[in-house]
Amino acid sequence: MTDQAPAPYAGPERVLSGVQPTGDLHLGNYLGALVKFGRLQHEIETFIFVADMHAITEWQDPAKLKSQVREIAAAYLATGLDPKVATIFAQSAVPEHAELAWVFNCVARLGWLDRMTQFKDKAGKHKERSSVGLYTYPVLQAADILVYKATKVPVGEDQRQHLELTRDIAQKFNHDFDAPNFFPLPDALTQGPGARVMSLRDGSAKMSKSDPSDQSRINLTDDADAIAQKVRKARTDPDPLPETVEGLEGRAEAKNLVAIYAALAGRTEAQVLGEFAGQGFGAFKPKLADLAVSVLGPIGGEMRRLLADPAEIDRILGAGAEKARALAAPTVAEVRKLVGFWAG
Ligand code: AQP
C-alpha cells in the first residue's frame, strides 16, 4: 500500500475579514484591509464583520460601542462594500463565534500563544494587568474565520502571525477529532502596496488607531486641511528622493511616504520614484497631500452621509447577521458532534 497525501479541502472559496471598532479608521486600515474587501466581493463570496467582541479585550465605553460599530459599518459601505453582494455584520450578533472560540481555546497550546508578537506589543510592560481576552484574541480570530470555513483572509501584514495560528488550530482540530479537511487552512491575503503603512511620526512603528498622537495617522474622516497638515508635518529626512527603491533603504520615513503615494495612486514605488527622483520633500509632500485628499475626501463625505441614518446601517447589519448565522450555526452543530458534547 502506498501512502496517499490527504485530499485537499474541497469546500468553496470564501473571504472573511473584520476591523475592530476601537477608534477612527486610518489610512493603514484602508490600504491594508478595506480597499481589498471591495475588490474581492465581486470575485469570491465575502463576509466582513465589525469586531466588537475583539474590541472589548481593551476597555470600551459601553455607551459608545454601538455607535463605533456603526462607524466601521459606514466605512465599509463608503469604501465600496455592497450589502447586496457581501455579508456585513457585527461579530457579537453571531454567538457561534464565541462558542467555537471556546473549543479552539482547548485545541490551541499555550506555547503557540506565547509567541504572538501583537500581544507582547499591546500588553507592553503590564502583561499581568492585561485581560485574558487580549491574550486569547488570536483564538477568537481563528473562530471568526473558521466558523464560516473561510479560505482567504485579506488583512494587513501585522496579522500574518495570527493567520499562521489559525492554520495550526484548524490542522490540530482536524487531526484531534479525526475529521480530515473539516476546516480549511486559510490563506492570508497581505500582498500589495499598503500592506504595512507606518506612522507619520515614526517610520519604525505601524500606523495605529491606538497611537496617542493623532498626527501619526491620517483618519478616513479627516478633512482636506487636516490631511494636508499631517502630510506637511510628517517626519522625513533632508535628502532628495532617490532614483531607485534600493535607495530608500535605511530611510524608513521616506520609504513610508513613497509607499503611501504608490498605494493611493495604484502605481509601484519604482514608478513613483521615476517621477519624483531628485526632488525634496518640499515638492513631494504637497503632491502626496493632494492625492490623499482626492482619494479619502469622498470616503469621509460618504461616511458622514451614511451615519446620518443609523437605522439604515442597523438594518444592513441585522440582515447581514441573519445570513452569517445561517452559515455559522451548521458549522458549530457539526463541531458539537465531533467533540462529543452532550448537546451535540
Ligand atoms: N498600519 C497598517 N498598515 C496596513 N494594514 C493595517 N491594519 C491595521 N493597521 C495597519 C489592518 O487593518 C485591519 C483592521 O485592524 P484592526 O482594527 O482589527 O486592528 P489592528 O490591526 O490592531 O489595527 P490598529 O489600527 O492598529 O488598531 P489598534 O490600534 O486598536 O490596535 C487588519 O487587517 C490590519 O492588518
Side-chain angles (χ1 to χ4, degrees), residues 193 242-246 248 255 258-259 261-263 267-277:
E243 279 173 18
T244 62
V245 177
E246 294 73 46
L248 289 169
K255 189 171 172 51
V258 170
Y261 192 104
R267 294 161 70 187
T268 63
E269 291 175 23
Q271 286 169 332
V272 175
L273 291 177
E275 184 179 340
F276 291 101

Side-chain angles (χ1 to χ4, degrees), residues 27-36 39 155-157 189-197 255-272:
L27 187 63
N29 300 132
Y30 174 67
L31 293 174
L34 269 69
V35 83
K36 298 177 193 160
R39 280 192 217 127
V155 281
E157 192 60 51
L189 301 180
T190 55
Q191 304 87 338
R196 190 164 171 79
V197 178
K255 189 171 172 51
N256 188 36
L257 294 190
V258 170
I260 291 173
Y261 192 104
L264 287 172
R267 294 161 70 187
T268 63
E269 291 175 23
Q271 286 169 332
V272 175

Side-chain angles (χ1 to χ4, degrees), residues 30-226:
Y30 174 67
L31 293 174
L34 269 69
V35 83
K36 298 177 193 160
F37 303 165
R39 280 192 217 127
L40 284 163
Q41 66 180 339
H42 299 296
E43 295 164 21
I44 308 177
E45 188 186 10
T46 294
F47 288 75
I48 304 293
F49 67 101
V50 185
D52 52 353
M53 286 161 65
H54 283 283
I56 64 160
T57 55
E58 295 182 63
W59 168 253
Q60 304 298 324
D61 183 346
K64 292 190 188 148
L65 190 55
K66 220 177 241 182
S67 59
Q68 288 168 203
V69 169
R70 292 190 188 111
E71 277 171 35
I72 302 295
Y76 288 160
L77 298 168
T79 52
L81 268 186
D82 178 350
K84 291 195 210 73
V85 180
T87 304
I88 306 168
F89 61 100
Q91 185 184 26
S92 61
V94 185
E96 284 79 4
H97 289 236
E99 191 171 350
L100 185 59
W102 176 253
V103 174
F104 284 173
N105 268 322
C106 303
V107 171
R109 306 288 93 182
L110 272 179
W112 299 357
L113 288 182
D114 279 342
R115 288 196 285 273
M116 294 299 114
T117 55
Q118 193 179 77
F119 174 75
K120 289 178 196 157
D121 290 346
K122 290 200 172 182
K125 293 192 194 102
H126 308 291
K127 189 172 154 217
E128 54 298 320
R129 276 194 265 146
S130 299
S131 72
V132 176
L134 188 66
Y135 187 70
T136 63
Y137 176 118
V139 176
L140 177 58
Q141 193 171 335
D144 300 333
I145 297 164
L146 295 172
V147 81
Y148 303 102
K149 299 190 176 182
T151 55
K152 307 274 180 218
V153 186
V155 281
E157 192 60 51
D158 58 318
Q159 292 294 329
R160 183 171 281 284
Q161 193 185 35
H162 289 171
L163 255 293
E164 290 299 326
L165 186 95
T166 298
R167 292 167 66 94
D168 289 344
I169 290 174
Q171 202 155 28
K172 185 160 162 51
F173 180 96
N174 292 350
H175 174 268
D176 288 0
F177 295 100
D178 199 18
N181 283 322
F182 179 74
F183 286 121
L185 308 188
D187 295 312
L189 301 180
T190 55
Q191 304 87 338
R196 190 164 171 79
V197 178
M198 309 310 281
S199 157
L200 298 180
R201 309 300 304 158
D202 175 0
S204 67
K206 79 164 189 151
M207 188 176 282
S208 175
K209 292 187 217 101
S210 52
D211 190 317
S213 165
D214 192 57
Q215 294 295 318
S216 69
R217 62 186 161 259
I218 297 177
N219 302 309
L220 292 193
T221 47
D222 281 345
D223 61 22
D225 288 346

